[in-house]
Amino acid sequence: MRRVEVSVEDLLRSRFALSPALDLCLLLRSLAGQNRPLPRAWATRLMPAFERLRRETELNAALALHTPQSGPNFVAPPPRGLNQTWADDLAMIRATPLEAARHEFATNATGPSAGDPRVRAVLDSTDAVSRVAEAMDQAWHELLATDWPQLRAICERDVVHRVGVIGEHGWATTIESLHPSIAWRAGGIELGFFPRGETVRLAGDGLLLIPSVFVGNIAAQLEDPWPRTLVYPARGTAALWGEQETVLQPDALTALVGRSRARLLLALDAPASTSHLARSLAMAPGAVGDHLAILRGAGLLVRARSGRSVLYRRTPLGEALVGGSG
């Protein structure tokens, strides 16, 4: 078990961020059999393009940098906030100094694939950074870009939920809600999934929390150049992974309010805006707005402004209706 000491100042500086590059790396690891297996439908859809990219681009060089426990920092740079885009990540990857990249090559490229002559030619070249970056960019556009708006909406909704938990119950409850293997004890975070005991001090820098749609467990980045980071499974990914398909469209609720409105009611386990719901459920924003208005008129939802967004949440009547639908 590893312990992370957290001060009051650390809590004040802790924040959330999104990382498109990190989720791309996790997706690539899954497709390569190094991470949590993808749902069958996802694997069937993406595997042909993935295998073609391995043949036609330098993607194998990027994959060779991943070990069973970790991967190189430069292909998944630390995100700066919730507005992080793939373009931001790609610019940071391309800006990596060659010597820094080569240091990571030496540290991470230790598996059997690193000895492949084609992979070695890329890693030993003077334009290795740009070649790996180009392969990652092609992988992004062919494997993840189409689904990213929906997946990003899931992560954004997770952050809205966590911020609400912080406001209502505080940081200790929020941290413990990230995963069963995490506990808050005596002013620190205990990470039960680490095999060896060690204490890490944040020293006033705060903790970076990143929801992910592809991480299967908690991942921790506790070494430079990253800030001290916890990557955790975003709420709402169970449907993506096919773990709650029988719950998403209960017959009784669907019969009562209709399939689309039932989906919206069930999706509002955390407050969300019209645009978030539209992206996460792959529905037209106008249709979502119309259904939300009807559900609100029936007393099943209320809405409130949060910054620039209007967030909808279930009323007690809506909660009772959803609770009785399973």
Side-chain angles (χ1 to χ4, degrees):
M1 180 186 68
R2 184 171 293 187
R3 179 177 172 82
V4 181
E5 296 285 354
V6 182
S7 67
V8 173
E9 186 176 358
D10 289 315
L11 291 180
L12 291 175
R13 294 187 177 182
S14 294
R15 66 276 189 207
F16 291 88
L18 302 185
S19 179
L22 179 61
D23 267 337
L24 175 61
C25 286
L26 291 170
L27 172 61
L28 293 174
R29 289 168 65 92
S30 290
L31 289 167
Q34 298 176 340
N35 197 32
R36 182 187 188 186
L38 289 173
R40 181 178 299 176
W42 277 65
T44 300
R45 175 166 60 92
L46 297 180
M47 190 61 74
F50 174 68
E51 294 295 347
R52 178 176 52 76
L53 288 168
R54 295 185 73 170
R55 293 191 305 268
E56 298 177 0
T57 75
E58 314 289 12
L59 187 59
N60 277 344
L63 291 171
L65 301 174
H66 290 270
T67 69
Q69 292 77 32
S70 63
N73 290 313
F74 90 91
V75 295
R80 295 169 178 166
L82 293 171
N83 295 322
Q84 192 84 2
T85 67
W86 171 246
D88 297 329
D89 286 331
L90 183 60
M92 294 172 69
I93 293 170
R94 285 175 168 159
T96 303
L98 179 59
E99 289 308 311
R102 281 182 168 163
H103 175 74
E104 294 197 33
F105 297 164
T107 302
N108 292 282
T110 57
S113 61
D116 182 281
R118 183 179 168 195
V119 168
R120 200 71 256 169
V122 175
L123 299 184
D124 292 340
S125 66
T126 57
D127 58 348
V129 171
S130 63
R131 293 170 74 176
V132 170
E134 178 61 26
M136 295 288 289
D137 191 36
Q138 289 182 257
W140 169 267
H141 286 290
E142 296 204 33
L143 300 175
L144 191 51
T146 299
D147 295 303
W148 183 246
Q150 180 180 1
L151 304 182
R152 185 184 190 97
I154 291 174
C155 293
E156 289 172 339
R157 288 192 60 210
D158 176 273
V159 173
V160 170
H161 169 76
R162 306 292 175 188
V163 171
V165 175
I166 293 170
E168 187 171 356
H169 301 289
W171 271 101
T173 298
T174 303
I175 293 295
E176 290 191 329
S177 73
L178 299 179
H179 196 269
S181 65
I182 296 181
W184 180 282
R185 291 191 178 92
I189 302 168
E190 295 184 351
L191 308 174
F193 53 88
F194 271 96
R196 67 181 189 276
E198 183 180 345
T199 297
V200 176
R201 291 176 175 81
L202 299 183
D205 296 328
L207 190 66
L208 184 64
L209 300 172
I210 301 178
S212 168
V213 292
F214 293 115
V215 70
N217 203 329
I218 287 284
Q221 176 58 272
L222 302 175
E223 299 177 356
D224 295 335
W226 273 66
R228 305 309 178 245
T229 302
L230 293 180
V231 184
Y232 63 90
R235 286 166 53 92
T237 58
L240 171 70
W241 293 91
E243 295 171 359
Q244 291 184 354
E245 290 178 354
T246 59
V247 180
L248 284 176
Q249 299 176 23
D251 292 340
L253 183 60
T254 299
L256 182 64
V257 300
R259 179 176 179 274
S260 295
R261 290 168 200 157
R263 292 181 69 205
L264 287 167
L265 267 179
L266 289 161
L268 282 167
D269 55 344
S273 68
T274 300
S275 59
H276 284 178
L277 289 167
R279 289 196 298 269
S280 62
L281 297 177
M283 296 174 65
V288 170
D290 291 343
H291 290 310
L292 291 175
I294 292 171
L295 293 171
R296 181 167 168 257
L300 302 178
L301 302 178
V302 294
R303 65 182 184 181
R305 182 166 292 279
S306 176
R308 297 180 179 179
S309 300
V310 174
L311 303 181
Y312 289 82
R313 63 177 175 82
R314 295 192 295 241
T315 64
L317 177 60
E319 294 286 355
L321 189 62
V322 169
S325 67

